[in-house]
Amino acid sequence: MTLHQPPPLSGLPDSAAAWLRGIAAAPRVFGGFPGLALLPADLPLDRAKAEALVAELAARYAAAIEDRAAVPGRVAALRAELAARKLSGLFLPLTDEYQSEYMPLRAQRLSWLTGFTGSAGSAVVLADKAAVWSDGRYTLQLAHQVDGALFERLHSTDNPPTDWLKANLKTGDRFAYDPWLHTEATVKRMQEACAAAGAELVAVDSNPLDAVWTDQPPPPLGPVRVQNLVLAGRTADEKRSAIATVVKANGADAVALTLPESIAWLLNIRGSDVPHTPLPLSMAILHNDGAVDLYIDGRKLDATVRQHLGDVRLHEADAFPAALTALGAARKTVQVDPATAAIYVLQQLEKAGATLVRAEDPCLLPKACKTSAELDGTRAAHRRDGAAVSKFLAWLDAHAAKGGIDEMAAAEKLQSFRRLSNELRDLSFTTISGAGPNGAIVHYRVTPETNRMLEPGNLYLVDSGGQYPDGTTDITRTIAIGEPSAEMRDRFTRVLKGHIALATAKFPDGTSGQQLDALARKPLWEIGLDYDHGTGHGVGAYLSVHEGPQRIAKLGSAVPLKPGMIISNEPGYYKTGGYGIRIENLVAVRVETEKAESGKRWLGFETITRAPFDRRLIDLTLLTAAEVAWVDAYHALVWQDIAELVDDATRAWMKQATAPLGA
């Protein structure tokens, strides 16, 4: 018995069963399945029965992927499949054909094969050995979840897969990769490793793992929705025309778009196919006259969306490879972003006779520079979100020191406050809820096994966000449970000083985030401390919470910051085994001086997040008068924008939380 035909679906027509399987393969949001809204009226079962069947299917999908007891048999089956294809091994990354941060169940191949559920990793399976890689965030998780008798458990930086391949492949080996799951750069590195070992790198027509994953979920079936013009600020036709002009200037007849977020932005649509990010999984071809061919499961599109798309030519998702072949056969010049497109796209075009223009996805930069409507929407979303976070902070202040609250309960309570507005569509990522030493794990994800109580004398770090129709939020607050130590207050205040330095930065047009990163680190550097993550990432407008091309980091993007870009300001400090501190607000790049004495335009940041900092953690002796004034001004804005959106008890708490620091 397989998930494709479990007993509950056995009496249904194939088309009806396919609907239910696809809906179950899309993420559940707050207990419900958005795809149920798509069900045809003539489906031979009522809504309640359909919902029950979808819930059962989803549970089966998840249980099968997480079934670690089945891992030895799965590895053996994969090896048998590789042998039957005369292949010596397979490289398996944690990604999908869209190179997405968040992936549908169908793409959770790494978890299914190895048992590892972290958000970054890869695996290699050879005939006589195998290995799994991840970074330092997941060292303990690898040890806990991955069977050391089946896989070596390795650090992706200290012992990267390419080094392992050089050491373990043999002359004459035929090592396989799925060209839909790798970019050109990763394939080049694999080719070099295989060549060093005397092996051959082989692109497979179909993934060998999929051949043995007999109960693999189908592609997800989540509804597509229109992003209204009042929120988008520019029509899809305007965007299509602008991007087509760029494509034509690059000497291309068309551009192949493989990032769903680019397509969502371009066509003013949103989807529900993956967790936390409203992506409509799809690919598209934009021609240099503005015409668009969209490759998407047509079942996701209701009449309203089809009317909105207008003259966009619609095709089923599986028609995209043939479209690439047709472009090649017509000897077209096609723009492709080699950094984000699967190498399959480049290979298929070149093989068919197309000329490639390797250039960045032309939607990335204009998508990052938000319209005034998107900025207004984001501000509104942050006011709403700030009210929810403030309610949570007031609740936490009243109850945490008494005991009885753990990390999971705190995260659930915060989510419940966000949902009160009835505007929350999803979290923008899984909440990082870390107490004490768990807060020192930068990308910590609480599980029943790691769940800690919030105890007096500890710090509690909560990094969270929401997806609203008018904006995406991301905020981190660090809270003292009881009385903090002098060291905690010192470190928090230094992080705050760095946060203020970046928030108040003024810089000439053309400055990149990489050039600003040190501003946020200087107060920690002064005492020999640092943090091992970037200071800021781009954020979308009801899209990805991690958006490029802008970034603030030591090795960040060289792309200059532009007005309208939204980016996080999140310095931190982490004492391993002790506590973590991070202060995160989102900021929008704005024009400060249109034409300075130098003749250049000068830019700065508008802080758009609205929630108080924990005053108990601020050491006033470390702040300058200007820094105190900035905190007071920020708290005044929080009070101004949030006080009328919260209940009386929260408002009373906020009155104290946002009072001037000297008061």
Side-chain angles (χ1 to χ4, degrees), residues 413-431:
K413 191 69 174 180
L414 176 54
Q415 177 178 300
S416 73
F417 284 125
R418 280 195 166 102
R419 292 185 66 187
L420 288 175
S421 71
N422 293 320
E423 293 290 336
L424 185 70
R425 296 298 178 262
D426 198 350
L427 301 181
S428 54
F429 55 96
T430 302
T431 298

Side-chain angles (χ1 to χ4, degrees), residues 9-160:
L9 300 187
S10 57
L12 291 175
D14 287 346
S15 60
W19 275 99
L20 299 181
R21 288 197 300 269
I23 293 167
R28 185 190 306 231
V29 182
F30 305 141
F33 293 90
L36 289 169
L38 296 170
L39 286 175
D42 60 354
L43 199 73
L45 72 166
D46 62 30
R47 170 66 181 248
K49 179 63 174 177
E51 189 168 358
L53 290 173
V54 166
E56 180 177 343
L57 275 171
R60 290 185 180 213
Y61 289 149
I65 290 171
E66 297 167 6
D67 184 3
R68 292 182 200 142
V71 166
R74 292 169 178 174
V75 173
L78 177 58
R79 284 180 167 142
E81 178 68 18
L82 291 171
R85 299 191 189 193
K86 295 182 171 53
L87 297 170
S88 306
L90 175 69
F91 192 102
L92 188 67
L94 181 57
T95 189
D96 62 6
E97 60 266 44
Y98 307 98
Q99 308 297 311
S100 300
E101 177 180 10
Y102 293 105
M103 297 178 299
L105 292 176
R106 179 177 181 79
Q108 297 294 339
R109 297 177 178 91
L110 188 68
S111 294
W112 182 85
L113 182 68
T114 69
F116 176 62
T117 61
S119 64
S122 58
V124 169
V125 175
L126 302 179
D128 57 349
K129 60 186 66 177
V132 180
W133 287 264
S134 193
D135 57 38
R137 293 173 291 168
Y138 296 111
T139 301
L140 296 178
Q141 190 171 331
L142 275 177
H144 174 69
Q145 293 183 328
V146 177
D147 186 347
L150 289 173
F151 297 93
E152 290 184 61
R153 298 170 295 209
L154 301 170
H155 192 288
S156 54
T157 301
D158 297 342
N159 190 350

Side-chain angles (χ1 to χ4, degrees), residues 246-397:
V246 173
V247 173
K248 193 168 188 176
N250 287 340
D253 298 301
V255 59
L257 298 174
T258 62
L259 293 178
E261 50 264 59
S262 291
I263 295 165
W265 172 84
L266 179 71
L267 300 179
N268 285 345
I269 57 175
R270 299 295 187 267
S272 49
D273 286 329
V274 300
H276 304 314
T277 306
L279 297 182
L281 292 185
S282 55
M283 294 186 181
I285 296 169
L286 170 68
H287 303 268
N288 66 12
D289 61 358
V292 174
D293 290 280
L294 177 63
Y295 300 85
I296 190 169
D297 188 331
R299 294 176 297 172
K300 300 175 185 178
L301 310 175
D302 64 16
T304 300
V305 176
R306 289 174 181 270
Q307 181 179 13
H308 164 77
L309 290 172
D311 63 356
V312 172
R313 296 185 289 258
L314 300 175
H315 312 267
E316 287 301 307
D318 59 8
F320 187 65
L324 299 177
T325 300
L327 287 172
R331 296 298 186 265
K332 297 292 186 179
T333 298
V334 183
Q335 180 173 331
V336 185
D337 186 345
T340 60
I343 194 173
Y344 174 91
V345 176
L346 288 83
Q347 291 174 337
Q348 188 76 357
L349 286 166
E350 287 190 314
K351 183 172 66 174
T355 299
L356 294 188
V357 173
R358 286 172 165 80
E360 183 178 77
D361 181 330
C363 297
L364 293 183
L365 188 58
K367 174 166 60 69
C369 298
K370 308 299 184 287
T371 65
S372 59
E374 288 173 323
L375 290 171
D376 287 344
T378 295
R379 293 184 188 104
H382 276 83
R383 289 192 293 272
R384 188 183 311 118
D385 197 69
V389 172
S390 295
K391 291 174 186 176
F392 170 74
L393 294 175
W395 171 83
L396 197 67
D397 199 44

Side-chain angles (χ1 to χ4, degrees), residues 531-551:
Y531 50 93
D532 192 20
H533 60 73
T535 302
H537 57 82
V539 178
Y542 189 39
L543 268 175
S544 303
V545 75
H546 297 130
E547 177 181 85
Q550 74 274 25
R551 189 165 180 252

Side-chain angles (χ1 to χ4, degrees), residues 3 14 24 76 192 243 341 344 432 439 505-506 546 564 573 594 605 622:
L3 288 181
D14 287 346
E192 291 170 350
I243 301 302
Y344 174 91
I432 297 172
K506 305 294 186 290
H546 297 130
Y573 170 72
E594 189 60 50
F605 295 118
L622 292 176

